[in-house]
Amino acid sequence: MTVALLNPLVTRLSPPPIPAVQAWGKSYDGSLGPLIDLSQAVPGYPPHPDMLRWLGEAASSLAYTNYGAIEGETALREAYAAHVSELYGAEIAAGNIHITSGCNQAFICAVMAVAAAGDTVLMSDPFYFNHETTLSMLGIKTGFVECESANGFVPAVEAIERMLTPGVRAIALVTPNNPTGAVYPPAQLKAIFDVCRKNGLWLILDETYRDFLPNDFGAPHGLLNEKGWQDNLIQLYSFSKSFCIPGHRLGALTASENVVEEIAKIMDNLQICAPRAAQGAVARALPALAEWRAGNRLEIEARATALAEVMTGLDGWKLEAMGAYFAFIRHPFENRSSTEVAEHLAKRAGILSIPGEYFGAKQSQFLRFAFANADAEIIRQLRGRMLDFQV
């Protein structure tokens, strides 16, 4: 009997990291208080009551029980296009929008549209692990642009240009960044976009966490106002964090109408259409809950402030970067890997975090804290546990 083989592009990958990290917490004995989960990037507060009501109404409506438009519900595409236009001061139409089942799916669609097996997509180092594994499963090569802590983990144009070898089709970046929290300045994004235009590359820009930029930040960048932006830019977004509905899996893609048409071919094979009831509810919530979302931004800023206070003078621990949902923290144990430190931190101190090396082999001195999961009072409890912690 000959055993049938599985796809080695999949089997060579490690298991999903979040469940592995959360399993460590099951060995914590509770002696220092309840487990503090800073592992997965989920909002640590509930959706707005109106959001829940609209989801319930849409889910029980016959109008959403059949297949919908592949590109997304017209109402949501129009509402989101209007939102993007207002935020960036740009002219974005519904035809520039494709709705997906979460932002990870938006990324899969984007890279499949621009790169084939054997092509190369550049990523930052550290990188978002789901982007790296997606490329690996598709047989797309990855090139890593090293982002130094001294530069706030923001990719330098020169570092990108050094990686421009034959076969590079796109650069995939995340801002505010996962895992570091680094916010890429608009001028730096413009410089990177110019490199893409000069070299005929796509810039795939994941802005999942843009709703949690500081209130006075303004537009995240001006790329959507650049003449011919459609020829080199694909922008990604998630409704999960801002509306606190990650379980409903809803994301969006902003691109040229031509790219949207190509992505519809991919979506028709992946899922046909994103969840329709959630689309109907978010189309109502997008304009209606703007003030509530702004309040949540302030709440996340309060949690960031609490973490910064915790990290001040914390006996060898160093806060290297922070923004939106994340903090990238250097641990003080030079001869220990981040995986070992994170595992012991979970089991002995009751703090769940993601090892830095999950985001790149060179990141072994770091841990990622997803501080949006916990309120300020809980975050302040970290200090005592980390002061006394030893691997």
Side-chain angles (χ1 to χ4, degrees):
M1 181 178 68
T2 302
V3 176
L5 300 178
L6 297 171
N7 181 356
L9 295 179
V10 176
T11 58
R12 71 185 182 189
L13 300 176
S14 299
I18 298 295
V21 168
Q22 291 178 338
W24 294 336
K26 296 177 181 178
S27 298
Y28 170 59
D29 63 10
S31 59
L32 300 179
L35 185 73
I36 300 175
D37 188 352
L38 306 179
S39 59
Q40 194 167 29
V42 295
Y45 44 82
H48 191 282
D50 287 345
M51 180 82 251
L52 294 174
R53 177 167 56 84
W54 294 330
L55 282 167
E57 290 173 359
S60 62
S61 170
L62 288 175
Y64 293 114
T65 57
N66 211 332
Y67 293 121
I70 297 172
E71 298 86 352
E73 300 294 310
T74 299
L76 180 54
R77 295 176 78 195
E78 290 177 345
Y80 183 64
H83 170 70
V84 172
S85 298
E86 180 180 5
L87 177 61
Y88 293 91
E91 295 183 6
I92 303 300
N96 296 122
I97 306 300
H98 200 304
I99 304 301
T100 60
S101 183
C103 196
N104 276 350
Q105 188 178 75
F107 181 77
I108 292 173
C109 290
V111 296
M112 288 183 70
V114 305
D119 289 336
T120 300
V121 172
L122 301 183
M123 305 174 62
S124 64
D125 183 5
F127 52 79
Y128 173 44
F129 46 68
N130 280 154
H131 286 180
E132 191 273 337
T133 52
T134 292
L135 296 170
S136 183
M137 285 189 289
L138 294 173
I140 298 172
K141 300 176 184 177
T142 50
F144 298 103
V145 178
E146 187 170 357
C147 299
E148 300 177 356
S149 60
N151 195 35
F153 293 103
V154 176
V157 169
E158 296 77 12
I160 291 173
E161 290 178 328
R162 287 195 296 269
M163 297 298 297
L164 297 183
T165 57
V168 173
R169 298 298 302 274
I171 301 169
L173 299 176
V174 184
T175 181
N177 187 255
N178 181 3
T180 67
V183 177
Y184 298 174
Q188 189 69 0
L189 287 173
K190 172 63 165 58
I192 293 170
F193 183 62
D194 287 344
V195 171
C196 292
R197 291 205 287 193
K198 179 181 177 181
N199 293 277
L201 307 177
W202 289 98
L203 174 57
I204 301 174
L205 196 59
D206 184 336
E207 297 186 67
T208 290
Y209 303 96
R210 70 167 183 234
D211 293 319
F212 302 97
L213 291 168
N215 275 330
D216 59 355
F217 194 88
H221 54 76
L223 301 185
L224 293 172
N225 285 293
E226 292 291 317
K227 183 178 180 180
W229 67 266
Q230 302 95 331
D231 297 330
N232 298 91
L233 177 65
I234 301 175
Q235 182 194 51
L236 313 181
Y237 178 71
S238 170
F239 296 101
S240 298
K241 310 304 188 290
S242 187
F243 291 99
C244 306
I245 53 167
H248 285 279
R249 311 308 305 132
L250 209 61
L253 218 146
T254 303
S256 71
E257 292 189 8
N258 178 58
V259 168
V260 169
E261 290 175 1
E262 297 304 314
I263 285 174
K265 301 175 186 177
I266 299 167
M267 272 292 291
D268 190 41
N269 288 277
L270 285 178
Q271 174 157 341
I272 300 180
C273 63
R276 297 191 65 199
Q279 291 187 66
V282 171
R284 299 175 67 177
L286 196 54
L289 299 183
E291 185 175 342
W292 177 77
R293 291 159 64 208
N296 291 339
R297 176 185 295 181
L298 295 176
E299 172 61 25
I300 296 300
E301 288 183 4
R303 298 179 185 199
T305 299
L307 183 58
E309 293 170 355
V310 163
M311 297 304 301
T312 301
L314 188 57
D315 197 24
W317 298 84
K318 184 179 180 183
L319 178 61
E320 291 279 6
M322 181 167 63
Y325 268 39
F326 305 111
F328 214 47
I329 295 172
R330 186 184 295 272
H331 68 74
F333 308 103
E334 293 187 5
N335 299 319
R336 305 284 188 164
S337 72
S338 61
T339 300
E340 187 176 5
V341 173
E343 181 175 359
H344 286 296
L345 193 65
K347 293 180 177 180
R348 298 176 184 174
I351 301 170
L352 290 182
S353 63
I354 303 295
E357 56 204 286
Y358 285 17
F359 306 98
K362 297 179 181 179
Q363 311 305 323
S364 190
Q365 283 301 116
F366 299 96
L367 302 176
R368 189 196 78 175
F369 282 13
F371 58 82
N373 299 10
D375 63 26
E377 181 179 353
I378 292 174
I379 287 171
R380 292 190 180 96
Q381 297 174 22
L382 296 172
R383 188 174 181 87
R385 300 191 192 190
M386 294 171 70
L387 273 172
D388 298 331
F389 173 74
Q390 293 293 325
V391 177

